[in-house]
Amino acid sequence: MIVPDFQLPAPLGRRRIVVAMSGGVDSSVVAALAARSGAETVGVTLQLYDHGEAVGRAGACCAGRDIRDARAVCDRLGIAHYVFDHETNFRTQVIDDFADGYLAGRTPIPCVKCNMGPKFTDLFALARQLGADCLATGHYVRRVEGANGAELHRAVDPARDQSYFLFATTRDQLDFLRFPLGGLPKAEVRALAAELGLGVAGKPDSQDICFVPDGDYAGLVRKLRPEAGEGGEIVHIDGRVLGTHRGLVGYTVGQRRGLEIGGLAEPLYVVRLDAATKRVIVGPRAALAVAAARIEGLNWLGEGASGEGVTVKVRSLARPVPARLEGDRVVFASPEYGVAPGQAAVLYSGDRVLGGGWIAATEAVETVAAA
């Protein structure tokens, strides 16, 4: 039997655990483990959006079918379940921010903004109103008690680690949060769900961007911001105009396919997006090499950590690479590719998350060398 550590004072029978439930297998197992611990357990689901095409789609999050699944799990476990409508907050803090980010030529990460806003800020207030001793979630990260307080660490299962998306978690939030799945592999979580007879045991994982039902990000942005469809020029870094495009929203830094400017001797990549002139700047792969990135909104969790052996991730699926933090700049030990404004730069010391911030601008290797 798996005995999760909710890191609460004994006896757990006197504790109340609020579980953030999305209707998926991970949060459902967390609720089951909390109930099994003997603590009073309450499931809470935020209704974040209700797009008609998403209501019945498997793999969504916090809408339609998922809310029903969360309620069914709570009924089976014999615990209370509450649903709170936070669609307005989600629209303004996440969806509108997503659209505006693409319009400005950035590469937004809505999952982080969702964690910073509705999922944590709003859920925290609700959990405290319900008299909770902690808020437990199904995220694959670990909370470790260190000499200077709670620390955020990567999950044991590297394929499931979600620490990149939680870099903006504050110290106060980390004190209240619990992540009981951080030490488990996904296969074991699914097996446990089946053993407990949870109907969601075989349910597919939710999509990264839950509010885009068909995966057409550009289409959603054009719908919300019609001006995103305004075209412009595709320009080589040497100044040559190579063609035209039908809106910056259709391009991301590092993109190679879909440029529709064939007939050239070398493959070209999107090097940057200029929102002011509506230009897509392209060049050879070497032009993507970045020496440093300026970050803003730094959230620091690394009190007491050594400055040695720091690594950084600039994409969720990228491997951490050696770097150092100099004020508001992350300086890479070796050239890094595919770094784009709007992404997050997350710093680690071993498995521990030191903090991170939003990439505001990048410094090309060629520019730094010339200086």
Side-chain angles (χ1 to χ4, degrees), residues 33 73 171:
L33 293 174
V73 167
R171 297 195 68 83

Side-chain angles (χ1 to χ4, degrees), residues 23-294:
V25 62
D26 297 324
S27 59
S28 296
V29 168
V30 170
L33 293 174
R36 176 187 280 185
S37 75
E40 180 185 358
T41 304
V42 178
V44 173
T45 301
L46 297 182
Q47 180 175 316
L48 299 180
Y49 67 100
D50 194 21
H51 294 167
E53 60 267 51
V55 171
R57 181 176 68 91
C61 171
C62 308
R65 180 186 301 175
D66 303 284
I67 294 174
R68 295 194 294 270
D69 287 344
R71 178 173 289 118
V73 167
C74 289
D75 287 344
R76 178 169 183 81
L77 297 174
I79 64 175
H81 179 242
Y82 299 102
V83 179
F84 295 89
D85 183 357
H86 280 241
E87 186 174 350
T88 300
N89 283 0
F90 187 73
R91 171 64 183 258
T92 57
Q93 296 178 26
V94 180
I95 299 180
D96 285 347
D97 180 82
F98 176 80
D100 291 338
Y102 266 112
L103 197 62
R106 299 193 296 270
T107 304
I109 311 175
C111 297
V112 177
K113 292 297 179 73
C114 184
N115 289 330
M116 291 172 64
K119 278 192 177 176
F120 280 0
T121 304
D122 296 350
L123 271 174
F124 266 64
L126 290 170
R128 292 193 185 279
Q129 288 173 15
L130 291 169
D133 292 285
C134 71
L135 173 66
T137 81
H139 289 100
Y140 284 83
V141 291
R142 290 179 296 135
R143 177 185 182 276
V144 176
E145 290 287 355
N148 295 288
E151 301 173 356
L152 186 64
H153 287 242
R154 275 192 276 234
V156 169
D157 184 349
R160 298 297 305 173
D161 175 57
Q162 294 174 299
S163 60
Y164 179 84
F165 298 106
L166 296 179
F167 80 87
T169 304
T170 67
R171 297 195 68 83
D172 286 344
Q173 289 173 341
L174 197 54
D175 285 340
F176 194 56
L177 282 165
R178 300 294 186 273
F179 309 108
L181 302 188
L184 301 176
K186 178 74 176 195
E188 193 168 341
V189 172
R190 285 201 179 275
L192 184 58
E195 174 191 328
L196 294 168
L198 303 182
V200 296
K203 187 174 181 178
D205 291 334
S206 61
Q207 303 299 312
D208 282 346
I209 302 183
C210 60
F211 56 87
V212 188
D214 57 2
D216 183 8
Y217 310 143
L220 174 67
V221 175
R222 290 189 181 98
K223 180 180 179 181
L224 297 174
R225 303 288 187 271
E227 61 270 35
E230 296 177 6
E233 296 176 331
I234 299 177
V235 182
H236 195 281
I237 57 173
D238 64 12
R240 288 177 291 152
V241 176
L242 303 180
T244 59
H245 65 82
R246 291 173 289 182
L248 294 181
V249 68
Y251 302 87
T252 57
V253 172
Q255 177 179 334
R256 176 182 173 186
R257 299 183 183 278
L259 297 180
E260 299 179 356
I261 48 173
L264 300 172
E266 62 178 349
L268 296 178
Y269 300 78
V270 176
V271 175
R272 66 180 181 275
L273 302 172
D274 190 331
T277 63
K278 294 184 172 59
R279 284 183 162 187
V280 174
I281 313 300
V282 299
R285 186 175 184 276
L288 288 171
V290 169
R294 181 173 63 81

